[in-house]
Amino acid sequence: MRRQLIAAIADGELRPGDQLPSVRSLASDLGINLHTVNKAYAILREEGYLLMRRRAGAIVSDRSMPTASQRADAQDQRMREELHRIALAYKARGGSRERFAALADEQAATVFDRSSNRSDQSARSDRTD
């Protein structure tokens, strides 16, 4: 079943945005176990062929559009490259790894602790209101 759906997508029989039958409906139509269809849909989703939407069910994904995971990976890669550039510049100025790590940690704390401080402040103001 998985290969048939991939072939239908490749041949253009199924296009991005096309809705597939529900797991229950497809299992009934094909006369196969519900769990078999559910597993196939899950694998196709993991491989990027399908999107699973609440109430809409399985939808053929647009493979030309990057997934959220791919976008996050690309952003992480750009961040790594920027950190590498900054670390090289710091080292070229004679800075040590330990001091660079301490400065990076200090900046991370200002960002991450600030958001938790806002949550704490918000919770405190809710209690006093």
Side-chain angles (χ1 to χ4, degrees):
M1 183 186 100
R2 180 181 153 275
R3 278 182 260 164
Q4 292 152 329
L5 285 171
I6 293 171
I9 293 168
D11 293 339
E13 296 171 35
L14 291 173
R15 298 188 182 280
D18 284 353
Q19 187 170 350
L20 297 178
S22 70
V23 170
R24 195 175 306 274
S25 173
L26 188 57
S28 175
D29 290 348
L30 297 177
I32 60 176
N33 189 294
L34 177 86
H35 298 293
T36 302
V37 175
N38 196 41
K39 179 73 173 172
Y41 275 15
I43 291 170
L44 289 166
R45 183 193 73 232
E46 290 171 14
E47 293 174 339
Y49 293 103
L50 300 181
L51 298 172
M52 303 304 281
R53 301 252 167 92
R54 289 188 188 269
R55 304 201 189 259
I59 298 171
V60 177
S61 69
D62 185 349
R63 303 267 302 170
S64 66
M65 299 296 291
T67 65
S69 175
Q70 290 167 326
R71 287 189 303 272
D73 289 346
Q75 289 171 341
D76 285 353
Q77 183 59 36
R78 284 191 299 274
M79 181 188 64
R80 280 187 201 94
E81 290 167 1
E82 184 68 11
L83 285 170
H84 184 259
R85 185 191 63 74
I86 294 168
L88 280 174
Y90 190 77
K91 182 179 179 183
R93 289 191 3 241
S96 71
R97 176 183 179 164
E98 293 76 18
R99 182 68 184 137
F100 178 81
L103 290 169
D105 186 55
E106 179 183 298
Q107 291 306 306
T110 64
V111 172
F112 290 99
D113 293 347
R114 177 179 46 197
S115 63
S116 66
N117 286 341
R118 280 191 206 135
S119 298
D120 293 343
Q121 290 170 355
S122 176
R124 282 193 295 267
S125 69
D126 287 346
R127 286 186 294 231
T128 59
D129 288 344

